[in-house]
Amino acid sequence: MNQLFINTAVTKGHIRKDLHGQFSEHLGRCIYGGLYVGENSEIPNVNGMRADVVEALKAIHLPVLRWPGGCFADEYHWKDGVGPKEGRKRMVNTHWGGVTEDNSFGTQEFFELCRQIGCDAYITGNVGSGTVQEMNEWVEYMTFDGISPMADWRRQHGHEDAWKVAYFGVGNEPWGCGGNMTAEYYANEYRRYQTYIRQYRPDAKIYKIAAGPSEGDTHWTEVLMKNAGKYMDGLSLHYYTVPHDWQHKGSALGFTRQDYYETLKKTLKMEDLIRTHGAIMDQYDPDKRVGLIIDEWGTWYDVEEGTNPGFLYQQNSMRDAMVAALNLNIFNKHCDRVHMANIAQLVNVLQAMILTEGPRMVLTPTYFAFKLFQPHQENELLDSHLLSPDLSAEGFTLPAVQESASLSPDGTVHVTLVNPGLEESQDVEIVTQGLKPRHVVGRMLTGNMDDHNTFDAPDTVADQPFVSFTMSPTGLTASLPPCSIVHLAIK
Ligand code: AHR
């Protein structure tokens, strides 16, 4: 039997809600069709935003949204996307499918979307092909409330009040699509650009993020922390879970058990990456002031057959839900260093929460995984220790059970447990030291590894009540079915 000891008297860090952040890029049908359909669409909308999608995102308390990219951010010129729509410039989206970008979704629309969802804004600025002045003026346009050319321009566009920008990223992947820079060069550029991100709002300080490494590039982290650490609030990290390799990624559906375990094994590398980059950050920032911002993560498969290869559209199965849950538990465990994470991407792209087709919408298994983790938002991480054997399957070794536990302000202990195995149930004896449980409520997501929702069968995978537990004087014993994610609220 697995044993989980939770010390309810010892907290180990604050779990920011922003660990459940999302990413939206002008890529494929994420923005256009997925989030924004325009005021004149027959699809029900509020000021152009899809009403069904906004409602679904509010239900999982989406805390923060990154925009406009990704690679797109480094060729995006924000002035093309403000003011009357008929005057907005049309451009080519060279990164993603070579389609025409008509800029009908720009800064004003992004803040309207955030307003409707009730989430914070994370803007990524253009370093690769933009200027310091352009970035400086964007921040002035968005956040300055006084008299100035950009604030006046915003007022002319119908927005009297300045918006709040919670996070600002200075470029994206400058080691690749964001300009092919060296770490040393970008560190200098970061120092220069961030100087002109002015803090106009004392009530809403902008958290500045330097573009960090890809996967295991420790040199990048070292140079950025050494040369620019004191000028940043956060350093990003990008890590995608690719089942095989970048040339033959594998398909989102119709995969083997071996593919399943390989995918989960690869996603668990996230923990090593956080430890490795975190150790370098510790050398320069022992107090953990600078956050590690994992602003692109998730599965990346071959695109769905018959779809534009530049649109990165993929289906989403229970395997993706397991990937999400494993990562969300890892982020909780490292909440002292990880301040925000943004899964890629919100709608219709990569590991999406939501898929749309015309007026139809489906919630993916990943959506339901996020729903089960939502109660951790803004809690305190609890000290927990799991005694559990490893699981060996199809040549891969993984933990048989994975968990994290937190304490909410009202004194409830929240536990999320993952059983990645496809064969065996896992019984877990949960000892809640310092709390004699009186009341437990559970929810769960489970299914076959490739179960998924389609437009014709949208309810195949959904969360459901979890009742397979028995109370004991020291806690409770829960029985996790194979391929499952369980959330327990213990009082
Ligand atoms: O999320 C898709 C792309 O992956 C992003 O645009 C880029 O930052 C990353 O390489």
Side-chain angles (χ1 to χ4, degrees), residues 23 25 27 70-71 96 172-173 238 240 296 300 345 350:
F23 172 33
E25 181 166 15
L27 194 178
C71 296
W96 305 119
N172 171 74
E173 298 191 352
H238 289 182
Y240 283 99
E296 288 188 32
W300 192 321
Q345 298 192 7
L350 299 176

Side-chain angles (χ1 to χ4, degrees), residues 342-362:
N342 310 75
I343 190 170
Q345 298 192 7
L346 186 53
V347 188
N348 292 333
V349 172
L350 299 176
Q351 192 178 344
M353 302 295 113
I354 292 174
L355 303 176
T356 67
E357 192 180 75
R360 303 202 288 175
M361 174 188 93
V362 301

Side-chain angles (χ1 to χ4, degrees), residues 370-390:
F370 270 71
K371 185 178 169 194
L372 291 183
F373 276 76
Q374 189 280 326
H376 284 301
Q377 290 184 9
E378 297 297 316
N379 289 356
E380 299 305 313
L381 177 70
L382 284 172
D383 187 30
S384 61
H385 185 63
L386 182 68
L387 292 181
S388 168
D390 278 343

Side-chain angles (χ1 to χ4, degrees), residues 67 78-79 81-84 88 106-109 111 133-146 148-165 198 200-201:
W67 173 82
W78 70 272
K79 289 182 183 176
V82 293
R88 294 191 190 177
T107 305
Q108 296 154 256
E109 290 74 24
F111 281 100
Q133 181 181 357
E134 186 179 354
M135 192 179 283
N136 165 270
E137 289 183 336
W138 199 8
V139 173
E140 182 185 319
Y141 181 90
M142 293 186 286
T143 62
F144 186 52
D145 249 336
S148 81
M150 292 301 117
D152 291 347
W153 206 33
R154 183 191 68 241
R155 286 189 198 96
Q156 278 173 33
H157 296 154
H159 299 278
E160 182 57 36
D161 296 332
W163 294 290
K164 285 185 185 169
V165 173
R198 301 297 189 197
Y200 291 113
R201 295 192 59 156

